[in-house]
């Protein structure tokens, strides 16, 4: 007999069917009722052990966390919460879990505690729900692009270029760190390194995606990216996943339309396909909110926030308009902002939060930032001061996406490289696409884990990726 998933048995199993259930014990009540979970659903299969059917020594080994195989027959369940249960004829212990030592007990564990136990936290309802949703969200993203004629492009993980120019990169080397070869002038002799040049883990696949878009038309990347920024916040990871579409013959307005449609589609997909897990996470959030002071609580429950994003157009404003709104705001006038609000300085998260959560109370796309603090590749606007950049900000999350129309004019791009101290020989291949058949094109990068936070209600980014990498933490 084949082992079926518990989900399928609970959804479609008929009384009288002989079944084999394999999973992990969630609880064992009254020496009689085993709740078994196999990860296919939030719901457990109840297996009822007759008092004489299983001997005492075996019964003792049915403990929380143990892996079991149960043989029996489906019967109608008198209990609430499930339609069928298993009347057990045989229990086989596949793997014991010593109750004195097994750390995941059927009680509330703090998320901080579970982070230390990331190898076992999949076995909690919360993390099983989060990682089932993570799968569904990845799938929705691929489906969205596939259905619209985009090609999935694998861009390199090891790279010699710094796409964002922020210099926050992890060095990749095979040089002996105890005996680093030096040049006559005392610098590291990178010609002796594996690639014969300095290489790093990529911060973005964008530059390579652009090359492909200028032939394949519409492409996207979906891969790991790495940033050595030493920011120990609840929204930053050193290793995170980014989705980067790149579209030829598209300007900044097409880019905004794509971003909005894409985000609404993926959030709707989760609402429609992950109802059971969402319901659990919404309840979890509502319970957690009760511990918080009134002013820190969400005004809407999780699924309402998601529906709101799906059903309402995003607000679109320019950076210059954002500065005006901020300078006329109460917190600005009462000197509540920590950072200055002046045209030409970057918006800080306190400013973004005010705009998104207080002023507009919905997702906001801010465009046309001053060129000084945005990347070299963004297209210079007619005013010569701003670039065709766009940041998408979400309530409770902050920046979820960054993107732009790209500078397609060779002379302007060369000038920008000079301003940003990027030597031509580092980006000669990128410049050549502007020399041969250049065209307007645009794209953006979505921080996958930031969107995960939005669709799960988890407030720390470490809790939406299986094994988070953050400063001083690369366990597992
Ligand atoms: O705004 P960023 O730096 O944009 C780029 O890398 C562009 N090359 C994208 C493009 O136009 N193709 O990063 C994009 C998004 C951010 O908006 C944020 O959501 C996420 O990536 N992100 C991070 N997520 C988690 N941890 C970090 N340290 C992140 N840094 C950026
Ligand atoms: Mg950004």
């Amino acid at each position: 007999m084949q082992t079926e998933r518990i989900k399928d048995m609970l959804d479609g199993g008929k009384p009288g069917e002989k079944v084999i259930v394999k999973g992990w014990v969630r609880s064992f009540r009254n020496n009689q009722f085993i709740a078994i979970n196999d990860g296919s659903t939030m719901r457990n299969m109840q297996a009822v052990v007759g008092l004489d059917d299983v001997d005492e020594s075996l019964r003792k080994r049915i403990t929380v966390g143990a892996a079991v195989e149960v043989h029996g027959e489906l019967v109608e369940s008198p209990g609430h919460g499930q339609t069928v249960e298993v009347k057990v004829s045989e229990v086989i212990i596949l793997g014991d879990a010593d109750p004195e030592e097994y750390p995941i007990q059927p009680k509330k564990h703090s998320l901080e505690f579970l982070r230390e136990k990331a190898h076992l936290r999949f076995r909690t309802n919360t993390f099983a729900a989060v990682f089932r949703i993570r799968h569904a969200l990845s799938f929705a993203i691929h489906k969205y692009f596939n259905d619209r004629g985009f090609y999935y492009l694998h861009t390199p993980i090891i790279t010699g270029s710094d796409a964002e120019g922020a210099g926050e990169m992890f060095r990749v080397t095979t040089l002996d760190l105890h005996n680093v070869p030096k040049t006559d002038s005392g610098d590291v002799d990178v010609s002796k390194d594996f690639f014969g040049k300095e290489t790093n883990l990529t911060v973005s696949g964008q530059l390579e995606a652009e090359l492909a878009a200028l032939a394949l038309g519409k492409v996207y990347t979906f891969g790991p990216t790495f940033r050595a920024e030493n920011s120990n916040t609840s929204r930053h990871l050193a290793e995170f996943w980014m989705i980067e579409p790149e579209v030829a013959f598209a300007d900044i307005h097409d880019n905004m339309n794509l971003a909005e449609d894409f985000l609404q589609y993926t959030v709707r997909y989760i609402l429609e396909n992950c109802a059971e897990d969402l319901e659990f996470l919404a309840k979890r959030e509502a319970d957690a909110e009760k511990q918080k002071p009134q002013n820190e609580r969400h005004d809407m429950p999780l699924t309402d926030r998601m529906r709101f994003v799906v059903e309402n157009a995003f607000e679109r404003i320019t950076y210059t308009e954002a500065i005006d709104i901020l300078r006329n705001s109460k917190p600005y006038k009462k000197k509540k902002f920590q950072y200055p609000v002046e045209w030409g300085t970057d918006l800080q998260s306190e400013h973004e939060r005010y705009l998104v959560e207080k002023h507009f109370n919905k997702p906001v796309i801010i465009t046309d930032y001053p060129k000084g603090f945005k990347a070299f590749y963004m297209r210079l606007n007619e005013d010569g001061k701003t670039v065709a950049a766009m940041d998408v900000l979400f309530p409770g999350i902050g920046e979820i996406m960054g993107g732009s129309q790209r500078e397609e004019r060779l002379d302007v791009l060369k000038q920008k490289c000079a301003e940003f101290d990027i030597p031509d020989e580092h980006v000669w291949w990128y410049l050549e696409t502007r020399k041969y058949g250049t065209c307007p094109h645009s794209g953006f990068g979505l921080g996958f884990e930031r969107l995960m936070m939005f669709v799960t209600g988890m407030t720390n980014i470490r809790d939406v990726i299986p094994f988070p990498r953050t400063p001083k933490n690369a366990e597992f």
Side-chain angles (χ1 to χ4, degrees):
M1 203 186 321
Q2 243 187 324
T3 316
E4 274 184 72
R5 299 189 311 160
I6 287 175
K7 180 177 195 303
D8 300 328
M9 287 187 252
L10 289 175
D11 289 344
K14 299 272 176 306
E17 280 174 14
K18 294 256 182 292
V19 291
I20 296 176
V21 180
K22 292 181 191 171
W24 293 268
V25 176
R26 282 296 177 82
S27 67
F28 186 31
R29 276 189 304 120
N30 299 347
N31 235 350
Q32 207 182 352
F33 303 103
I34 320 174
I36 304 174
N37 192 280
D38 70 353
S40 61
T41 164
M42 179 67 63
R43 291 165 288 161
N44 300 324
M45 177 62 91
Q46 168 148 293
V48 186
V49 188
L51 287 174
D52 308 319
D53 296 346
V54 175
D55 69 59
E56 197 49 34
S57 62
L58 187 81
R59 210 182 279 270
K60 283 215 170 72
R61 294 170 61 199
I62 306 175
T63 60
V64 175
V68 293
E69 174 175 333
V70 160
H71 296 221
E73 186 184 316
L74 287 183
V75 294
E76 229 165 273
S77 177
H80 62 90
Q82 68 262 337
T83 48
V84 287
E85 60 186 31
V86 182
K87 189 169 174 294
V88 174
S89 54
E90 189 184 358
V91 177
I92 302 164
I93 306 288
L94 299 172
D96 290 283
D98 185 342
E100 301 291 314
E101 291 177 19
Y102 184 59
I104 312 294
Q105 290 302 319
K107 59 164 199 166
K108 239 193 162 53
H109 294 292
S110 76
L111 296 173
E112 291 78 11
F113 170 82
L114 291 171
R115 246 169 256 151
E116 310 274 306
K117 306 271 181 257
H119 56 307
L120 298 171
R121 67 178 177 171
F122 299 103
R123 299 177 183 205
T124 64
N125 282 336
T126 298
F127 285 97
V130 165
F131 293 118
R132 277 190 293 264
I133 290 179
R134 192 176 163 110
H135 163 78
L137 189 59
S138 308
F139 181 78
I141 288 167
H142 284 298
K143 180 165 165 52
Y144 178 87
F145 288 123
N146 182 65
D147 289 353
R148 286 158 185 77
F150 284 71
Y151 301 110
Y152 179 28
L153 185 77
H154 296 107
T155 48
I157 308 272
I158 300 174
T159 167
S161 62
D162 177 3
E164 291 307 301
E168 293 159 332
M169 301 200 292
F170 288 99
R171 187 79 170 258
V172 174
T173 180
T174 53
L175 291 179
D176 178 359
L177 293 184
H178 298 292
N179 186 16
V180 179
K182 296 276 173 70
T183 61
D184 293 342
S185 56
D187 296 328
V188 177
D189 185 358
V190 290
S191 72
K192 301 259 166 31
D193 207 343
F194 189 91
F195 296 105
K197 63 188 284 194
E198 183 180 331
T199 50
N200 297 287
L201 294 178
T202 189
V203 296
S204 157
Q206 177 198 321
L207 300 191
E208 291 87 352
E210 281 187 54
L211 313 180
L214 292 177
L216 295 170
K218 298 199 277 188
V219 301
Y220 71 105
T221 73
F222 188 166
T225 46
F226 307 86
R227 295 200 184 175
E229 46 195 338
N230 205 355
S231 35
N232 232 324
T233 78
S234 57
R235 290 161 203 205
H236 288 86
L237 290 165
E239 176 180 289
F240 62 100
W241 288 66
M242 211 191 322
I243 294 94
E244 298 185 272
E246 196 64 39
V247 184
F249 314 113
D251 66 13
I252 185 79
H253 300 286
D254 302 319
N255 208 27
M256 283 192 270
N257 293 341
L258 177 68
E260 184 169 336
D261 186 57
F262 167 63
L263 284 167
Q264 290 181 328
Y265 173 94
T266 49
V267 172
R268 188 185 306 114
Y269 185 93
I270 298 304
L271 278 169
E272 287 172 0
N273 291 277
C274 302
E276 185 180 284
D277 288 327
L278 274 183
E279 193 188 329
F280 177 86
L281 291 172
K283 180 159 185 315
R284 191 197 159 276
E285 181 187 85
D287 289 345
E289 296 255 295
K290 287 186 197 136
Q291 316 293 328
K292 287 196 209 158
Q294 195 83 35
N295 63 340
E296 284 174 31
R297 294 183 196 170
H298 289 289
D299 4 319
M300 282 190 254
L302 175 64
T303 44
D304 288 4
R305 295 202 299 279
M306 291 170 67
R307 237 168 260 125
F308 185 85
V309 160
V310 168
E311 288 164 6
N312 290 283
F314 297 4
E315 196 67 40
R316 298 180 185 194
I317 58 169
T318 64
Y319 166 89
T320 304
E321 287 164 347
I323 294 288
D324 282 345
I325 294 170
L326 288 167
R327 286 179 72 98
N328 283 311
S329 71
K330 258 198 206 142
Y332 178 80
K333 289 180 176 158
K334 291 187 172 167
K335 302 202 164 32
K336 288 274 164 61
F337 288 134
Q338 200 188 331
Y339 293 91
V341 181
E342 251 158 68
W343 202 98
T345 58
D346 203 355
L347 299 179
Q348 300 296 325
S349 115
E350 57 177 354
H351 308 137
E352 297 179 342
R353 292 193 77 141
Y354 173 81
L355 291 169
V356 173
E357 285 158 27
K358 295 277 180 316
H359 190 81
F360 290 114
N361 206 13
K362 55 154 92 165
V364 178
I365 311 183
I366 304 181
T367 57
D368 305 295
Y369 286 81
K371 63 176 181 175
F373 54 79
K374 288 290 184 189
F376 78 99
Y377 52 70
M378 297 191 179
R379 192 177 197 280
L380 190 64
N381 287 329
E382 296 302 313
D383 61 14
K385 296 189 301 192
T386 58
V387 287
M390 59 172 233
D391 275 8
V392 182
L393 313 177
F394 258 39
I397 309 290
E399 181 190 331
I400 201 163
M401 270 180 183
S404 75
Q405 184 167 341
R406 316 309 188 187
E407 185 53 75
E408 85 283 13
R409 299 160 295 188
L410 182 61
D411 52 335
V412 184
L413 187 58
K414 277 189 157 170
Q415 177 60 35
K416 282 292 268 311
C417 286
E419 283 169 27
F420 281 76
D421 280 330
I422 302 168
D424 278 11
E425 59 270 26
H426 283 193
V427 287
W428 62 271
W429 39 273
Y430 188 73
L431 295 172
E432 278 205 357
T433 55
R434 275 50 174 182
K435 197 167 148 196
Y436 308 124
T438 190
C439 73
H441 61 288
S442 300
F444 57 77
L446 165 70
F448 183 62
E449 284 77 17
R450 301 236 176 126
L451 183 58
M452 272 297 294
M453 291 171 76
F454 184 73
V455 298
T456 58
M458 301 301 281
T459 52
N460 193 314
I461 199 164
R462 293 167 180 79
D463 296 331
V464 296
I465 187 166
F467 301 104
R469 268 72 183 105
T470 50
K472 302 278 176 288
N473 174 34
E475 194 65 48
F476 309 107

